[in-house]
Amino acid sequence: MPVREPARVYPHRIILTSGGLQAPWVGMRDARETTAQQINKVLAAINFYLAPGGGGRAYVGRPGITVMGEDDPATEVQAITTWYRPDGTGVTFRIADGAIDRFDWITDAWVPALTASQIGAASITLAASGRVQIVPFASGLVINDRVNPMFYWTGVDGTGMTELTNAPIARWVWVKSAKLVAINAASPIEIQWSEENQPNLGYAAGGYNNAWELRQLGNAPLVAGIGRNDGQILFRERSCFSILGEIGPDFRAASTNSDISERLGTTAPWSLYNVEAGVVFVDADARPHLATFGTEPAPLWADCLEQLSATLIPRNAVYRAWTLEDRACGLLLIGLPAVATTQLTRFLAFDILSLQFVGLWNGIPADVLGMVQTDTGDPRWAHTVGGTTYIHGGPGGGPWDDLFVEGAQAIPHALELPALGRDLTETLEVDTIEVGLSAALASRLTITGETSNGAMPMLEVPIPGGGGARIGQFVLGQDRLGAVSRDRRAMVGQIGSGRWVRPIIRHSIRGEPISITDVRVVAFKTGADPDVA
């Protein structure tokens, strides 16, 4: 005869843990249905990201921004990048109002590199508005505004420009096999390519026939393409395909065309980004994918589906999506537009190695993105709003505010956990919520949450040993020196009952970094024992 377990005694104390070594976080999943939530993925990480490395790492607040150079509201920045000369030195450029400026890191100012009049004097036309593509090629840069003939520039101030008269006006351009490959804007089912390391030699001019109409897999216009070591991946709005092989004398005959997807393509050429595993892109419905040779693109959107709804992102603005790597934080960021604006207003943060969705950043609207390298060799990403360029900090030194031209603002952080302790037959009575923090100097938190019965009170909690200034920033008689403990706890008694509990931690104080390691809820279970008739 089976032995029956003894009935439970109520109230029954229970400890629910999220994060840390016991229940390490692996990312974010924005599913609002409690049955679709996962215990190892937070429900929301707003302006947080999961520190790389795995194994119980903390959720860390994103660094802030500072103005890069002067603010000029009348200017439109069209591109920004750091280019590495053949001798290995990095030079940071921007294109603005149809001219090219170079950034002087010592004086913190943009200085003219090619003025609009110098560009015009070389019989070259560069659009004064709209995004511009900058492609390193051979020992210089190819500048493509997508409406005028491309030109090649050696990077020398005031000179070194050559109009690519043999190349077509390019809808998009990329590099493969040391050749410049362009989608012909006049006939966007055709690609043309240069000779090796020769930006103005080849194509379908000067006796060359380096052109190919790609009708084999459809007649829809090509939107973009990207080169990889073993081939190229090309995109139409609703499909994508690969061309395997190097670009050589018998490219058309020797290469292999292969359909990747007959339903997934892109309208957003700036969303294409090469990573170790393949090509990340945002499809025409705003969903990020990973394209590889020979298989259907893998969805990267399963954990961020709520962020991609048509009510948040108008489908006719998806073409502005932009993918960029934040090397300082170890992230891949995908910027997406929002309703009533063409600016990028939300950034999906993915771990650069696992491509796991780990956070959502906002509060930093952007027109153009780019990677730059500081004068100290630190990689940073930058974004522009009109004529203002902002550079983003790194995890080692901040800043921990968004230092806008209009004034500094605290970064609003919110970490929302999944439903903990879900049970259809027993009720949880919440007693305390405890938050673990690492060495970040946060001085106080707001701890709240919700249960199946509604919202819990919002309680502001001081952090023992939190706040204060770091050594090197400490002013005698003015500041309090921050504690050096690497493990702090903030605990508060809470009131709430329901079938589950979902803690929410908020922080928004100027100048304070934050790093949350784990959250613990102490509750008591009450209700009828399901094992008793």
Side-chain angles (χ1 to χ4, degrees), residues 26-37:
V26 299
M28 170 181 163
R29 180 175 172 82
D30 66 1
R32 287 290 164 181
E33 306 92 334
T34 57
T35 53
Q37 294 170 13

Side-chain angles (χ1 to χ4, degrees), residues 41-345:
K41 295 178 181 179
V42 300
L43 180 64
I46 310 301
N47 290 319
F48 276 104
Y49 68 98
L50 191 61
R57 300 304 297 270
Y59 255 106
V60 181
R62 69 163 174 85
I65 60 175
T66 54
V67 178
M68 189 175 173
E70 66 281 1
D71 169 50
D72 185 356
T75 298
E76 179 185 340
V77 178
Q78 302 165 266
I80 181 170
T81 191
T82 292
W83 171 63
Y84 299 91
R85 290 190 173 113
D87 63 3
T89 58
V91 186
T92 299
F93 293 112
R94 74 174 186 182
I95 298 178
D97 293 344
I100 302 179
D101 301 321
R102 175 173 46 81
F103 191 69
D104 188 323
W105 291 96
I106 296 175
T107 62
D108 188 34
W110 294 100
V111 296
L114 288 179
T115 65
S117 59
Q118 289 170 333
I119 293 172
S123 300
I124 292 171
T125 302
L126 178 59
S129 63
R131 292 178 178 176
V132 175
Q133 194 183 3
I134 303 177
V135 180
F137 182 67
S139 57
L141 295 169
V142 171
I143 312 297
N144 176 31
D145 66 10
R146 307 176 75 206
V147 294
N148 296 297
M150 298 181 287
F151 69 95
Y152 180 78
W153 181 42
T154 60
V156 179
D157 287 3
T159 188
M161 295 163 283
T162 303
E163 184 178 24
L164 303 188
T165 53
N166 290 323
I169 293 177
R171 195 176 195 194
W172 194 252
V173 65
W174 63 96
V175 176
K176 172 60 184 168
S177 305
K179 298 173 176 66
L180 196 65
V181 186
I183 297 173
N184 184 357
S187 178
I189 60 170
E190 178 187 71
I191 60 171
Q192 296 186 21
W193 58 92
S194 73
E195 290 297 290
E196 188 169 319
N197 291 319
Q198 299 293 325
N200 199 30
L201 190 64
Y203 310 105
Y208 289 91
N209 186 26
N210 296 354
W212 191 358
E213 285 193 349
L214 295 167
R215 297 183 183 274
Q216 298 94 323
L217 300 173
N219 290 319
L222 298 170
V223 173
I226 192 168
R228 289 182 63 80
N229 287 338
D230 38 4
Q232 304 168 76
I233 298 180
L234 285 80
F235 294 83
R236 296 184 168 96
E237 181 176 347
R238 293 289 177 178
S239 65
C240 58
F241 62 96
S242 64
I243 303 177
L244 298 176
E246 299 298 321
I247 302 178
D250 56 349
F251 175 49
R252 285 181 293 269
S255 61
T256 302
N257 289 5
S258 178
D259 187 26
I260 294 178
S261 177
E262 294 182 356
R263 62 185 184 88
L264 296 174
T266 191
T267 59
W270 268 275
S271 75
L272 273 60
Y273 196 88
N274 264 322
V275 296
E276 187 75 20
V279 175
V280 172
F281 71 97
V282 175
D283 74 11
D285 295 312
R287 298 172 302 182
H289 290 79
L290 177 71
T292 55
F293 295 112
T295 59
E296 185 77 10
L300 302 179
W301 49 264
D303 285 340
C304 52
L305 188 58
E306 297 287 335
Q307 310 303 322
L308 307 176
S309 73
T311 58
L312 295 176
I313 305 171
R315 294 307 183 241
N316 60 359
V318 173
Y319 74 94
R320 297 192 64 82
W322 199 311
T323 303
L324 170 140
E325 184 178 350
D326 181 350
R327 297 191 183 106
C329 294
L331 300 171
L332 191 73
L333 300 176
I334 299 179
L336 296 170
V339 173
T341 178
T342 58
Q343 290 182 322
L344 308 174
T345 59

